[in-house]
Amino acid sequence: MSDVEFHEQSDLNDVSLEGDITAPGFKADDDEFSTLDEPVKDTVMRDVRAVGVKFWHVLYPKSSTALLREWDLWGPLILCVFIAMLLQGKSDDLNNMNDGGPQFAEVFVIYWVGAVVVTLNTKLLGGNISFFQSVCVLGYCVCPLAIALIICRCILIVDEQTTMLFIIRFVAVVLGFGWSTFASTAFLADSQPPNRKILAMYPIFLFYFVISWLIISHTHS
Amino acid sequence: MSTTVDLDFHDSGGDDVLFDKTKSQTHTFHNFPDSAVDDDYEDGGDKSQLLKEDEVKKSPSFWTFEYYQQFFDVETRQVFHRVTGSMLPMPNRNYLQASIRPNPDLYGPFWICTTLVFTTAIAGNLANYLSSGGKNYHWRYDFHKVTFAAAAIFSYWWLIPGIMYGFLWWRKSQAGYTFLEILCVYGYSLAIYIPISILWVINITWFKWTLVIIGAVMSGGVLVITFWPAVKEDTKNIAFVFIGLIFLFHLSLAAGFVLYFFYVPTMASTTVPTTLATTAKPPQAPEKVPVDHHRLKTEATKVDSNSKPHKTVNNDGNDNNNMDDKVKTTSDDKDNAKVDDAPLDDKNKDVTKTGDLESKKGDSNVGKEEVDNANDKVKRKAVRNKRERQKA
């Protein structure tokens, strides 16, 4: 009988039975990260900074994964509300006139339902991207078109609308459209197998095309 | 010496190990309980069924995502191949068998329909805008063409195949076309209208109608060739009526597009904007183009069916599906298409909801008279009507 060792009874009392569950080598954080303890300004600024970083990535698209890793829907919501407010048609019930433009709700629906449908299409084709990541990217990439809308709106302040001004507006919207499509392909193209890339990209192209059409057709009175 | 029992302790192994067989008992088991270990041998080692099960995947349930993924199992070049095949009728090649089977898809049809909705609406607005160039009022685009186009196209894409599937099932057709395949063929058959709708912007009447004929003949031809095998065993009458109706619906869809989205009146000043009357009311001459809707909008007060007050200008009141009347309206369309000098006659096709050709012909005359009257009194009535409207 060889390998059984017997300790003296007193040895057992000296072994400490306390300790941390955390593995050795990691710093033990005493306080858990809790947003209740920090000033509201910090909480808000953290999210604002996250949104801002994503806008920056859209405006200067390099194939990074920042948009995909931590998606959020704040940016798309801000853009959607902004665009819908600017694009909504005036409806003057007294004279039963309207300027033919979409209502706020219609723009809202086109934006979100469009993003959802395009995302569903990507997933049905077998893309390996999660639902909200795709909606997030599609929403953020509307930012260049929003900038084009602002430019158009500024141009429309001028009373006398000439053909030259229309051409400037048209060029601005086309540039915005190209930029948006390019930015979204930079983020989304890798999620599809190569024999279906065009099938997945075409709905994105159509989505931005429709939004561009809404912007260029908007001629407020 | 004491008599001690020789206990005979031995280490294991070695030559001196003795096993006394006589004293041991061996118990053999015959009754094996069910256990996973023995499964391989229970059916005698028949493994052929295993392979078969792997190949035939169980079709996923309707409520899972994978069920719908099977409809999107296409590649880019397959979709292109199907789109081009739907536009070129070849008598010796059945489009369905050549291109669609064995995996019909819904990607192509869905995105073709969506694209067609937007190109029709956008091109319609563009045609509208170009026709009003030079006038000194604000042209406004009509976003609601999109909603109408979407309703019309998607219902065509789903209703006609539904009716057709029901009909084939009723006649016990032997061709074995599934509903999905019919949907797929119909969706792809709309693809030719996408470039045509862009070309419709060019405002030359004979050119537009030529495009209608070309589009209807080409994709209608593919449809006819595809569905002929389904009814050829049936009685001659039924078969010809069936094929004729397919072609007719297709033609009516194209004609409806031209007349609704792309109609430009030759005389802008004679157009009278009215909202569409419902069936009970006598038809007015609807205006297709919101050209002068500022000045002439007041005429809308003559027709009091303002069920949709924010759509005074176009036939957007005509939210009912035009499809039901497409068959009956085509003959009227063709008649009116030859009459170039009375642009308003054509518009009356949208007006009636009753499927009654005679009443429609009678109504069209009435409509024309009313339009003439209205034209004469436009400017005089404008102010008066505006006052009335504000009172109402």
Side-chain angles (χ1 to χ4, degrees):
Chain A
M1 303 300 218
S2 53
D3 49 352
V4 178
E5 282 177 357
F6 290 103
H7 291 270
E8 291 289 293
Q9 194 64 15
S10 58
D11 287 344
L12 291 170
N13 291 336
D14 293 343
V15 175
S16 161
L17 291 175
E18 300 167 352
D20 290 330
I21 296 181
T22 57
F26 285 117
K27 205 165 37 142
D29 277 352
D30 268 316
D31 43 346
E32 268 290 311
F33 185 67
S34 157
T35 56
L36 284 179
D37 292 338
E38 56 178 10
V40 172
K41 177 163 147 325
D42 281 355
T43 314
V44 170
M45 285 310 292
R46 184 182 314 115
D47 280 337
V48 167
R49 231 172 274 130
V51 169
V53 159
K54 292 204 186 67
F55 275 129
W56 181 256
H57 275 287
V58 167
L59 290 178
Y60 295 98
K62 321 175 278 279
S63 185
S64 79
T65 53
L67 254 74
L68 291 179
R69 258 184 289 120
E70 295 150 8
W71 58 266
D72 72 78
L73 293 178
W74 282 113
L77 181 67
I78 295 171
L79 284 175
C80 176
V81 169
F82 175 71
I83 291 180
M85 276 201 318
L86 285 186
L87 281 182
Q88 63 179 331
K90 209 170 34 174
S91 185
D92 188 355
D93 280 329
L94 192 61
N95 292 331
N96 207 23
M97 267 167 39
N98 73 328
D99 69 349
Q103 303 292 321
F104 179 92
E106 285 169 338
V107 178
F108 213 82
V109 163
I110 283 187
Y111 187 101
W112 286 107
V113 171
V116 165
V117 167
V118 172
T119 302
L120 277 181
N121 175 73
T122 309
K123 288 193 67 75
L124 282 170
L125 283 175
N128 59 350
I129 189 173
S130 97
F131 180 82
F132 283 110
Q133 279 174 344
S134 175
V135 172
C136 166
V137 168
L138 287 171
Y140 269 102
C141 288
V142 178
C143 181
L145 280 171
I147 297 177
L149 175 62
I150 298 175
I151 296 177
C152 285
R153 200 50 185 244
C154 295
I155 293 180
L156 283 171
I157 292 177
V158 177
D159 252 342
E160 188 65 38
Q161 286 296 312
T162 67
T163 313
M164 181 43 102
L165 287 181
F166 173 74
I167 291 180
I168 298 179
R169 278 196 297 134
F170 186 77
V171 166
V173 173
V174 166
L175 282 178
F177 166 66
W179 197 350
S180 290
T181 314
F182 174 68
S184 66
T185 51
F187 293 116
L188 290 179
D190 295 327
S191 66
Q192 285 288 341
N195 61 343
R196 291 186 182 177
K197 255 204 220 309
I198 300 185
L199 293 188
M201 284 302 131
Y202 171 72
I204 300 177
F205 165 88
L206 188 65
F207 176 60
Y208 291 131
F209 183 76
V210 169
I211 296 187
S212 316
W213 171 64
L214 285 177
I215 293 177
I216 190 67
S217 302
H218 172 70
T219 52
H220 76 110
S221 61
Chain B
M1 274 193 4
S2 59
T3 51
T4 56
V5 180
D6 192 352
L7 292 173
D8 256 7
F9 285 109
H10 297 280
D11 289 330
S12 59
D15 286 338
D16 50 353
V17 176
L18 296 167
F19 290 102
D20 193 353
K21 283 207 172 114
T22 55
K23 287 205 186 139
S24 64
Q25 271 187 334
T26 46
H27 185 83
T28 51
F29 290 98
H30 297 283
N31 220 8
F32 290 103
D34 265 357
S35 80
V37 178
D38 291 335
D39 265 353
D40 285 341
Y41 301 100
E42 258 182 356
D43 52 355
D46 178 14
K47 298 215 169 104
S48 60
Q49 288 296 320
L50 286 174
L51 282 175
K52 220 176 178 190
E53 259 187 46
D54 278 338
E55 281 169 16
V56 178
K57 275 191 271 231
K58 249 201 312 221
S59 73
S61 127
F62 180 72
W63 302 108
T64 65
F65 192 69
E66 285 74 25
Y67 177 80
Y68 299 100
Q69 253 180 334
Q70 67 186 340
F71 302 134
F72 281 73
D73 194 16
V74 276
E75 300 177 3
T76 310
R77 56 174 182 75
Q78 268 182 321
V79 172
F80 276 129
H81 182 57
R82 289 176 185 192
V83 166
T84 49
S86 76
M87 299 202 232
L88 304 168
M90 283 206 257
N92 54 352
R93 183 197 70 151
N94 187 330
Y95 172 64
L96 184 65
Q97 265 143 22
S99 307
I100 307 279
R101 284 184 174 166
N103 66 330
D105 71 306
L106 286 181
Y107 172 90
F110 177 75
W111 287 109
I112 287 175
C113 288
T114 314
T115 310
L116 186 61
V117 164
F118 285 113
T119 52
T120 320
I122 294 175
N125 272 308
L126 196 57
N128 208 333
Y129 175 72
L130 292 175
S131 74
S132 73
K135 308 284 194 308
N136 56 356
Y137 53 84
H138 266 302
W139 174 83
R140 288 181 176 139
Y141 83 119
D142 187 10
F143 171 76
H144 297 101
K145 281 199 196 322
V146 173
T147 44
F148 184 79
I153 289 171
F154 277 95
S155 20
Y156 180 83
W157 176 39
W158 278 84
L159 280 183
I160 307 284
I163 297 173
M164 186 175 294
Y165 181 71
F167 181 81
L168 289 179
W169 172 79
W170 173 52
R171 303 299 295 184
K172 300 187 180 32
S173 151
Q174 298 304 314
Y177 289 169
T178 67
F179 181 57
L180 182 62
E181 287 169 349
I182 304 181
L183 262 187
C184 191
V185 169
Y186 254 90
Y188 278 109
S189 75
L190 290 175
I192 197 174
Y193 290 129
I194 296 178
I196 286 184
S197 68
I198 300 175
L199 288 175
W200 271 332
V201 173
I202 301 173
N203 187 19
I204 305 174
T205 313
W206 64 263
F207 182 65
K208 284 198 278 202
W209 285 102
T210 313
L211 287 174
V212 169
I213 305 286
I214 291 177
V217 163
M218 286 176 74
S219 59
V222 174
L223 283 176
V224 161
I225 294 173
T226 307
F227 287 106
W228 176 248
V231 285
K232 68 178 177 211
E233 295 112 16
D234 217 329
T235 60
K236 280 288 179 218
N237 279 345
I238 301 271
F240 281 122
V241 165
F242 183 73
I243 298 295
L245 278 180
I246 292 180
F247 188 75
L248 206 57
F249 277 127
H250 214 61
L251 184 65
S252 328
L253 182 75
F257 282 157
V258 162
L259 291 170
Y260 181 79
F261 293 105
F262 296 96
Y263 197 84
V264 179
T266 53
M267 298 170 280
S269 59
T270 59
T271 58
V272 178
T274 58
T275 56
L276 263 186
T278 56
T279 48
K281 307 254 168 41
Q284 303 286 331
E287 193 220 35
K288 300 238 183 237
V289 176
V291 170
D292 264 350
H293 73 269
H294 267 288
R295 272 191 297 128
L296 304 175
K297 162 191 80 56
T298 55
E299 283 304 312
T301 59
K302 288 174 68 173
V303 178
D304 53 352
S305 67
N306 276 335
S307 52
K308 296 191 178 6
H310 63 284
K311 292 178 183 173
T312 56
V313 183
N314 277 340
N315 301 337
D316 287 334
N318 183 8
D319 266 356
N320 296 335
N321 195 349
N322 248 348
M323 298 305 131
D324 300 331
D325 288 315
K326 285 264 186 279
V327 180
K328 291 141 193 134
T329 58
T330 43
S331 52
D332 213 22
D333 291 342
K334 289 190 184 111
D335 292 342
N336 291 332
K338 299 179 186 108
V339 180
D340 256 346
D341 58 346
L344 300 163
D345 279 346
D346 301 3
K347 298 172 191 170
N348 290 326
K349 75 107 181 147
D350 273 341
V351 174
T352 58
K353 298 293 196 272
T354 63
D356 199 348
L357 269 176
E358 287 87 67
S359 71
K360 196 158 32 100
K361 286 220 174 5
D363 286 343
S364 68
N365 293 336
V366 171
K368 192 165 183 225
E369 279 172 47
E370 293 209 28
V371 164
D372 290 340
N373 290 339
N375 292 340
D376 294 339
K377 298 175 194 154
V378 158
K379 292 190 176 78
R380 266 185 286 144
K381 271 194 167 182
V383 177
R384 213 187 320 145
N385 284 339
K386 189 161 187 178
R387 247 185 270 132
E388 281 173 14
R389 248 204 104 58
Q390 279 166 356
K391 273 189 234 154

